[in-house]
């Protein structure tokens, strides 16, 4: 097998994923800032941010996952030079976003009721509820921003994502400071202030993206704001059927992590805080393969739009191998620097020791995590989304989470390991997902290349 085409693909992927990765790191840094600044108030405020994230993050990612179907659609239309169909696809994305965001907001508003069914201390429950009701107001802005972001990225135009990510981060830090500590005449809200600050950031990012879309010569040429297409229910249905499995796959993966935070809540604020530190840092590292995967979705979709099935295979293989090599490097860095990383978040000795030990486990699953997210992104480029959903259900809910609960909460196999057992469950679930997704990708290669050789179209639009 000649390596030249695979090596040549790496710079192309890096040019696309560079701005995406910076934007994703900026977005994750906002969560880091929330965690860091809330932790400076008290361990309870830090735990409140962690528990609240366990509620709102799966819901907002569920909405975002549905919208992510736009990226492969637009990249394929762009590759096929069917530019006239792009605006209509974006408009149906707007309508679908409204339909899925409203029930998500309702679910988020009432989600704190679950705290009454759990053994959560009253002060922690109160702060968690306040955070959730604060960030609720930013959900519509976040969802609509994602539509415009996917429109831009589907056209291989990723720079706006990076610039607006920095705008959001620049607003998040002072907004947190003002609302957490009660500056400029505002009440001191503690960790609750992080929720309201995030809502403000989401609206600022939406406004910035609308302005950019209207002024960019490339994006403005598609006239998506000139005349809004009415709802086309069959097309909205097709978009939903493509996006819903993506959303559910993301939901299943995220809940593998966030449900654990809820299960650990009865162990006390220190355990939840140590878990949150490890999750937060792991999420930042995860931005590297996630961004590479987003670039692969664009490149694979564009290649299929150009009717180049073999090139799509080359892109996928190159991305998986390159991403895995990067994961080895980040894993080694995590092992070496785990105590230093933990010390950035807290000076509580018990929390630091737990966080460092969990970061050691986190380093072991980074290769599997990289392989699974990049493989899933390649499958999205092929618009093969249902398989992603089925695989993640099996890997995370039937393998990873049950294994974590057995190891963490019971003495069935070994003495109950607490949070460490759950993190071994993460490793099991992510490894199973990586193997199954790569296997599915090999099947899709053969199927699509057979259609290509038979002269059948590879792009069907929306």
């Amino acid at each position: 097998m000649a390596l030249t085409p695979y090596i040549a693909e790496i710079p192309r992927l890096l040019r696309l994923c560079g701005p995406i990765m910076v934007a994703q790191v900026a977005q994750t840094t906002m969560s880091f800032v929330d965690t860091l600044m809330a932790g400076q108030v008290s361990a309870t405020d830090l735990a409140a941010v962690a528990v609240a994230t366990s509620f709102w993050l799966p819901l907002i990612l569920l909405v975002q996952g549905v919208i992510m179907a736009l990226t492969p659609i637009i990249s394929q239309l762009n590759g096929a030079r069917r530019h006239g169909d792009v605006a209509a696809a974006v408009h149906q994305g707007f309508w679908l976003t409204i339909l899925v965001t409203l029930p998500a907001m309702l679910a988020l508003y009432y989600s704190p009721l679950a705290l009454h069914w759990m053994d959560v201390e009253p002060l922690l429950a109160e702060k968690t509820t306040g955070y959730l009701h604060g960030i609720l107001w930013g959900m519509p802005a976040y969802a609509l921003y994602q539509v415009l972001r996917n429109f831009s990225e589907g056209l291989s135009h990723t720079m706006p994502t990076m610039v607006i990510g920095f705008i959001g981060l620049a607003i998040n830090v002072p907004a947190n400071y003002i609302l957490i500590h009660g500056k400029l005449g505002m009440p001191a809200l503690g960790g609750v202030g992080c929720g309201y600050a995030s809502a403000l950031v989401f609206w600022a990012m939406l406004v910035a993206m609308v302005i950019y879309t209207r002024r960019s010569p490339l994006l403005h040429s598609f006239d998506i704001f000139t005349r809004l297409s009415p709802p086309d229910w069959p097309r909205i249905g097709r978009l939903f059927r493509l996006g819903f499995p993506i959303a559910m796959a993301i939901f299943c993966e995220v809940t593998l992590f966030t449900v654990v935070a809820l299960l650990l809540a009865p162990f006390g604020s220190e355990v939840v805080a140590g878990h949150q530190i490890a999750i937060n840092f792991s999420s930042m590292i995860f931005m590297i393969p996630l961004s590479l995967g987003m670039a692969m979705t664009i490149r694979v979709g564009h290649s299929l739009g150009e009717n180049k099935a073999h090139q799509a295979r080359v892109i996928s293989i190159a991305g998986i191998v390159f991403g895995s090599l990067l994961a080895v490097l980040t894993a080694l860095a995590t092992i070496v620097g785990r105590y230093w990383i933990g010390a950035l978040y807290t000076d509580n000795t018990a929390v630091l020791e737990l966080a460092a030990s969990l970061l050691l486990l986190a380093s072991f699953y980074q290769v599997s995590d990289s392989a699974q997210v990049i493989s899933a992104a390649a499958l999205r480029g092929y618009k093969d989304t249902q398989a992603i959903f089925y695989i993640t259900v099996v890997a995370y809910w039937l393998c990873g989470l049950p294994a974590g609960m057995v190891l963490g909460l019971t003495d069935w196999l070994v003495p109950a390991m607490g949070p460490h057992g759950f993190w071994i469950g993460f490793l099991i679930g992510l490894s199973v997902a990586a193997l199954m997704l790569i296997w599915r990708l090999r099947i899709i290669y053969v199927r699509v290349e057979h259609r290509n050789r038979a002269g059948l179209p590879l792009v069907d639009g929306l």
Side-chain angles (χ1 to χ4, degrees):
M1 178 177 66
L3 294 178
T4 302
Y6 299 89
I7 296 173
E9 187 57 39
I10 301 301
R12 301 187 186 108
L13 286 171
L14 289 176
R15 280 194 296 272
L16 274 179
C17 86
I20 296 175
M21 182 165 60
V22 173
Q24 292 297 127
V25 170
Q27 184 172 329
T28 307
T29 302
M30 295 181 206
S31 178
F32 169 78
V33 170
D34 288 354
T35 303
L36 188 65
M37 297 181 75
Q40 292 172 349
V41 178
S42 71
T44 302
D45 284 88
L46 174 58
V49 172
V51 175
T53 300
S54 300
F55 284 99
W56 80 266
L57 186 60
L59 278 173
I60 197 66
L61 290 181
L62 197 63
V63 174
Q64 181 180 343
V66 173
I67 303 167
M68 284 176 68
L70 274 176
T71 301
I73 289 171
I74 292 173
S75 63
Q76 288 189 9
L77 291 174
N78 188 39
R81 303 295 188 267
R82 290 169 53 181
H83 297 152
D85 295 331
V86 169
V90 174
H91 293 161
Q92 302 314 311
F94 281 132
W95 291 118
L96 179 59
T97 298
I98 294 171
L99 291 175
V100 298
T101 301
L102 293 177
M105 291 178 67
L106 191 63
L108 186 63
Y109 181 82
Y110 287 105
S111 61
L113 293 175
L115 297 173
H116 298 293
W117 306 331
M118 304 164 59
D119 187 17
V120 177
E121 56 194 70
L123 182 59
L124 177 57
E126 178 186 347
K127 290 180 177 291
T128 300
T129 301
Y131 181 102
L132 291 172
H133 288 173
I135 203 170
L136 169 71
W137 299 105
M139 284 187 71
Y142 184 87
L144 292 172
Y145 165 75
Q146 292 300 325
V147 175
L148 295 177
R149 172 182 173 173
N150 289 333
F151 161 57
S152 178
E153 291 180 355
L155 298 173
S156 301
H157 194 47
T158 58
M159 191 60 67
T161 303
M162 181 183 76
V163 174
I164 293 172
F166 275 118
I167 291 174
L169 181 59
I171 295 172
N172 185 61
V173 175
N176 265 347
Y177 179 74
I178 292 169
L179 294 173
I180 289 174
H181 300 289
K183 304 299 181 180
L184 300 181
M186 300 298 292
L189 300 176
V192 173
C194 297
Y196 287 96
S198 295
L200 176 64
V201 167
F202 295 156
W203 281 105
M205 291 173 67
L206 173 62
V207 171
M209 192 66 189
V210 169
I211 293 172
Y212 185 89
T213 303
R214 293 180 66 88
R215 294 188 176 182
S216 165
L218 171 64
L219 302 185
H220 182 69
S221 66
F222 288 89
D223 293 327
I224 65 168
F225 294 128
T226 302
R227 178 180 175 274
L228 182 64
S229 304
D232 184 333
W233 299 112
R235 299 182 79 180
I236 290 174
R238 288 195 294 273
L239 180 59
F240 180 77
R241 286 193 295 272
L242 181 62
F244 184 70
I246 299 174
M248 290 306 298
I250 294 173
F251 181 81
C252 289
E253 180 177 358
V254 170
T255 50
L256 176 67
F257 293 87
T258 55
V259 166
V260 170
L262 299 177
L263 292 173
L264 290 176
F267 285 79
S269 295
E270 287 189 344
V271 170
V272 174
H275 170 78
Q276 175 64 11
I277 289 170
I279 284 288
N280 186 260
F281 180 78
S282 297
S283 297
M284 294 185 68
I285 296 297
F286 179 68
M287 293 304 104
I288 298 174
L290 178 63
S291 303
L292 185 60
M294 289 179 174
M296 281 183 56
T297 299
I298 298 166
R299 288 285 298 138
V300 168
H302 195 276
S303 295
L304 294 175
E306 293 179 318
N307 226 34
K308 298 178 180 178
H310 180 70
Q311 179 66 19
R313 179 203 283 252
V314 170
I315 294 166
S316 302
I317 295 174
I320 293 170
V321 173
F322 182 67
S324 298
L325 292 175
L326 287 179
V328 171
L329 296 178
T330 60
L332 292 174
T334 303
I335 292 172
V336 173
R338 61 189 186 278
Y339 281 98
W340 178 80
I341 294 165
L344 291 175
Y345 293 85
T346 183
D347 56 3
N348 183 307
T349 303
V351 175
L352 175 59
E353 286 293 334
L354 176 59
S357 63
L358 294 180
L359 284 169
L360 182 62
L361 292 174
S363 66
F364 296 145
Y365 73 54
Q366 287 179 20
V367 175
S368 295
D369 204 11
S370 177
Q372 67 85 20
V373 71
I374 293 174
S375 300
L379 287 169
R380 287 199 299 272
Y382 282 98
K383 297 202 295 191
D384 183 54
T385 59
Q386 288 192 356
I388 301 173
F389 170 52
Y390 298 141
I391 288 171
T392 50
V393 168
V394 171
Y396 303 143
W397 284 93
L398 300 184
C399 297
L401 186 58
M405 293 179 69
V406 169
L407 294 173
L409 302 178
T410 75
D411 298 326
W412 294 354
L413 300 178
V414 295
M417 301 173 68
H420 299 89
F422 284 104
W423 279 71
I424 293 174
F426 295 162
L427 174 60
I428 293 171
L430 292 169
S431 298
V432 171
L435 292 173
M436 295 179 70
L437 287 166
I438 291 173
W439 169 75
R440 175 64 182 180
L441 196 53
R442 289 175 59 87
I443 294 174
I444 295 299
Y445 290 156
V446 175
R447 184 180 300 172
V448 172
E449 289 175 15
H450 176 73
R451 286 178 59 86
N452 202 184
R453 287 192 296 269
L456 299 173
L458 302 182
V459 176
D460 56 3
L462 176 58

